[in-house]
Amino acid sequence: MPKERPLWRGAAFRLCLLSAALFLCLQLGMRRSWCPEEKSRDPAAARAGIPAPPRPAPLGAGTPKFRPGGGRRRVTYVRSGRRGSAAPACCAPQPPGSRRRKTVRWHIELQPWASPTPSLNYEASRFLKYISTSQISCEHMNLNSLKGYSKTTKKPWSVCLDERFSLIHRIRSKKCRLYSLGLGHDDNQFELSMANSGCEVHRFDPSIKAAHIQEGRHLWYHRLSIDWRDPNPAIAAHKLHSNTKKLGTVLNEFGHQKIDVLKADVESAEWKILENLILEDVVEQIGQLVFEVHIHWPGFEVSGNDSTVVRYWYSLLRELELKDFRLFHTYKDLSKPQMFLKKEAFNASSCYTLSWVNTRWK
């Protein structure tokens, strides 16, 4: 006699079929509720095979995901005595439409070796000749004509004030902006002179006590160190450098699109900072560069043997030339040790002050 099948097996099979049917109905209902154009479509047109009209793109599709006017943060450098007062004029963010997306490069193009085989003598000779030779003439390089000029400046921080370049015109119209990177207040006469002439001056110094200090109408001090990378908050060691930022990051946060003059005396960090400005195209937002460069050692995070280091230095400066920067002033500091990569060689000083003008700057 055949063995009977348990009744629970048939019931389970029917329950599975019922669940699958319910699930299918649920999916069809959700699809129709999410696609209103299918519900509103003419049934006659559907039967005739006429395609549905294109669905309008959702608001904001294909546009950057930032709020109008919210791409730049409004920064108030100094607390005002009255609640609700407006931020200083220097802090107003630029219009969002003036931004442009930049292509980030990962490394600079190294120039060919100065000789058939790598040689420190040839590399040093080429590099020192390059930083000692002006590429463009500038007749007016001092600040004598500017209001508030002081002759007590310890170093020749030279800017080009020729009429053919825009800096002198922006100074006269009180629309110029200077960023100064350094440490300590031992030599700030250049910044004071530019501020007294009406320029908006921002000095970045990690040694000051307050986050932001305003002196007079046009001079601000910021407790920030400009670096070639932003700290990663996920890395514990980077939390010690929370006041360290790239120049491009600071420009975005302050709402500044252009810098007329960038002055830097950053004690051997200048090579990596300059590399970052070139790779991220921030250098194109700068009118003139005044850098103190140090060559008594490779600099922070610059590695390789001596000939490789000098080739890297030279390649960085040639990248500036490709960006239409021209060297108009060079100063060899004889008060500093006469050292070149830890050697007394090539009649070189350990420190040079170099000034470039962006010939495309408007």
Side-chain angles (χ1 to χ4, degrees), residues 22-216:
L22 286 173
F23 180 79
L24 183 60
C25 292
L26 194 61
Q27 288 291 326
L28 289 174
M30 291 176 65
R31 181 183 174 188
R32 291 185 63 82
S33 65
W34 285 6
C35 302
E37 74 281 359
E38 291 186 7
K39 294 193 295 182
S40 59
R41 188 179 171 191
D42 185 4
R47 287 193 298 271
I50 300 174
R55 185 181 180 186
L59 182 63
T63 59
K65 294 183 179 180
F66 49 73
R67 300 185 307 274
R72 308 276 189 194
R73 286 195 299 163
R74 181 178 293 273
V75 177
T76 304
Y77 299 132
V78 184
R79 286 187 179 274
S80 174
R82 282 185 281 178
R83 190 174 295 180
S85 60
C90 64
C91 317
Q94 302 293 329
S98 61
R99 286 185 215 95
R100 62 186 179 90
R101 189 176 296 277
K102 300 181 187 299
T103 302
V104 178
R105 294 161 55 196
W106 296 104
H107 59 81
I108 65 166
E109 296 295 330
L110 290 175
Q111 293 292 314
W113 292 100
S115 58
T117 58
S119 164
L120 177 60
N121 288 339
Y122 281 99
E123 295 300 325
S125 176
R126 178 175 68 171
F127 171 75
L128 291 171
K129 181 180 179 180
Y130 193 84
I131 66 172
S132 303
T133 307
S134 297
Q135 299 169 331
I136 193 171
S137 63
C138 181
E139 297 180 5
H140 305 94
M141 290 187 292
N142 58 52
L143 304 177
N144 289 333
S145 60
L146 299 182
K147 177 183 176 182
Y149 172 73
S150 172
K151 293 187 178 181
T152 60
T153 303
K154 297 180 181 180
K155 297 177 183 177
W157 301 108
S158 298
V159 292
C160 188
L161 300 174
D162 283 2
E163 295 287 338
R164 57 180 169 152
F165 300 121
S166 65
L167 179 59
I168 184 61
H169 304 286
R170 293 178 65 82
I171 290 175
R172 289 170 183 162
S173 62
K174 313 296 184 185
K175 294 181 179 179
C176 62
R177 178 179 294 130
L178 164 70
Y179 271 30
S180 174
L181 320 181
L183 182 66
H185 300 271
D186 56 335
D187 184 18
N188 63 351
Q189 289 302 316
F190 175 74
E191 289 84 351
L192 290 174
S193 297
M194 293 292 282
N196 290 336
S197 70
C199 284
E200 176 188 322
V201 178
H202 298 270
R203 183 175 172 93
F204 298 89
D205 182 354
S207 68
I208 66 174
K209 294 182 179 180
H212 306 287
I213 299 175
Q214 182 176 359
E215 286 188 5

Side-chain angles (χ1 to χ4, degrees), residues 316-333:
L316 272 178
L317 302 187
R318 285 301 304 273
E319 287 268 2
L320 279 180
E321 189 176 347
L322 293 174
K323 298 284 188 182
D324 293 304
F325 279 80
R326 297 294 182 265
L327 186 67
F328 67 85
H329 185 258
T330 175
Y331 171 73
K332 179 181 179 181
D333 194 343

